[in-house]
Amino acid sequence: MAAIGIFDSGYGGLTVFKSIRAFMPSYDYIYLGDNARAPYGNRSFDVVYEYTLECVHWFFEQGCPLVILACNTASAKALRTIQQQYLPTLEGNKRVLGVIRPTAEVIGSYTKTGHIGILGTKGTVSSQSYLMEIEKFFPKVQLFQMACPLLVPLIENKEYNSVAANYFVKKYIDELFQQSDKIDTILLACTHYPLLIEKIKKAAPHDVQVIAQGDIVAHSLQDYLQRHPEIETQISQYGNLDFYTTDDAHDFNEHATIFFGESITAKQLHL
Ligand code: DGL
């Protein structure tokens, strides 16, 4: 089996996987959530790189020709080094893609005011990856970033419906709009945040659109596979889904459903 590998620090990548699967149900997929070491958002470049590389290496051992980092933090902090330093050392045609570039390619077309707010982890925001990538495609758009360091820990700890989640969403949105009251588009630049999308919409002015990345990334992947038959023809198409977590599988199964939209059975992986 040569499945497409989908990786996240925890549950968040399932929000992207859900869209990818809906767009392309015939392929085989393996999902890995590194829940035991999540969140990645506050960790250093070196540590995020080390953890991500270890997981990417595992996907390749499973025979995956293509791995999607369905995690903005890993895409911001590890992807480039993996592409430039690790992949060239491997035999065969292997690819690792992230979620920042496909989002940057289209996000500027959503705004009318030219002011976009970006919510992400501390790591994603401080890497400036979105500013650099969006600038290439939409140089006139003004970007306002807001690091939301407490949202992933709240979500990973299943506190997304809590009063604390309401409080922190409102605090981060208020601080974002203090930077510009012309923002008409908010990008959820963390794959965990779609779980809080209703709270985020409620905390923002009512005419502001809130964009999750799932469909954007899925559409871009579909396009990529059409343009790269040398990768596409390596991927098996039996519609199989396999789920792994580095933490307790029972716990993962219980909560993954909320992110993925259907019940799943994961296995625990000891890296
Ligand atoms: N889903 C990851 C992202 O998109 C969350 C990172 C974390 O583990 O803090 O950034």
Side-chain angles (χ1 to χ4, degrees):
M1 178 171 145
I4 298 175
I6 305 204
F7 170 70
D8 183 46
S9 59
Y11 296 109
L14 291 166
T15 63
V16 173
F17 185 17
K18 187 177 166 187
S19 294
I20 290 178
R21 165 106 185 299
F23 275 56
M24 293 165 284
S26 65
Y27 294 120
D28 293 342
Y29 297 96
I30 301 179
Y31 183 89
L32 171 60
D34 191 9
N35 298 73
R37 302 187 290 197
Y40 281 13
N42 295 338
R43 297 191 190 276
S44 70
F45 262 88
D46 288 354
V47 170
V48 172
Y49 176 66
E50 184 195 319
Y51 290 177
T52 306
L53 182 62
E54 204 176 353
C55 294
V56 166
H57 182 72
W58 176 82
F59 278 115
F60 288 159
E61 280 178 351
Q62 310 314 302
C64 299
L66 172 66
V67 178
I68 309 298
L69 303 184
C71 173
N72 289 271
T73 309
S75 300
K77 292 190 156 188
L79 179 62
R80 184 180 293 242
T81 319
I82 287 175
Q83 287 174 334
Q84 292 179 351
Q85 292 179 17
Y86 175 61
L87 293 184
T89 67
L90 300 177
E91 282 174 26
N93 232 339
K94 305 252 185 226
R95 293 283 185 280
V96 181
L97 303 174
V99 289
I100 296 179
R101 176 81 179 209
T103 308
E105 283 175 2
V106 299
I107 194 66
S109 58
Y110 285 81
T111 175
K112 290 198 173 66
T113 62
H115 287 222
I116 297 178
I118 298 173
L119 304 182
T121 65
K122 210 172 126 214
T124 299
V125 165
S126 67
S127 76
Q128 313 263 2
S129 299
Y130 272 101
L131 305 191
M132 291 186 285
E133 289 298 324
I134 297 174
E135 230 269 313
K136 291 179 195 159
F137 300 101
F138 302 98
K140 294 208 177 98
V141 168
Q142 294 192 47
L143 303 168
F144 303 89
Q145 299 197 98
M146 191 67 222
C148 311
L150 287 167
L151 297 188
V152 173
L154 278 166
I155 294 167
E156 284 286 316
N157 289 291
K158 294 96 193 172
E159 292 287 348
Y160 34 78
N161 287 324
S162 65
V163 176
N166 287 342
Y167 173 82
F168 283 108
V169 164
K170 176 145 179 25
K171 174 177 159 22
Y172 294 137
I173 293 292
D174 287 351
E175 285 174 24
L176 177 68
F177 279 86
Q178 274 164 24
Q179 296 181 54
S180 165
D181 58 7
K182 293 206 191 86
I183 292 169
D184 67 349
T185 305
I186 294 177
L187 168 64
L188 304 185
C190 172
T191 56
H192 280 68
Y193 297 173
L195 240 78
L196 297 170
I197 196 164
E198 292 310 322
K199 289 189 194 303
I200 292 167
K201 283 181 181 166
K202 212 168 146 200
H206 75 277
D207 51 350
V208 169
Q209 55 183 337
V210 181
I211 310 294
Q213 292 173 295
D215 287 358
I216 295 173
V217 173
H219 185 264
S220 165
L221 177 60
Q222 195 166 38
D223 180 56
Y224 176 88
L225 292 172
Q226 275 162 12
R227 287 183 292 108
H228 292 273
E230 75 286 4
I231 300 295
E232 199 276 341
T233 49
Q234 294 183 58
I235 302 164
S236 48
Q237 300 199 41
Y238 301 104
N240 289 329
L241 310 182
D242 271 330
F243 294 87
Y244 290 85
T245 172
T246 53
D247 211 328
D248 183 69
H250 180 74
D251 207 34
F252 186 85
N253 294 342
E254 206 173 308
H255 297 286
T257 310
I258 300 160
F259 290 80
F260 193 59
E262 55 188 272
S263 70
I264 63 150
T265 307
K267 296 175 206 95
Q268 186 169 8
L269 173 69
H270 299 279
L271 281 170

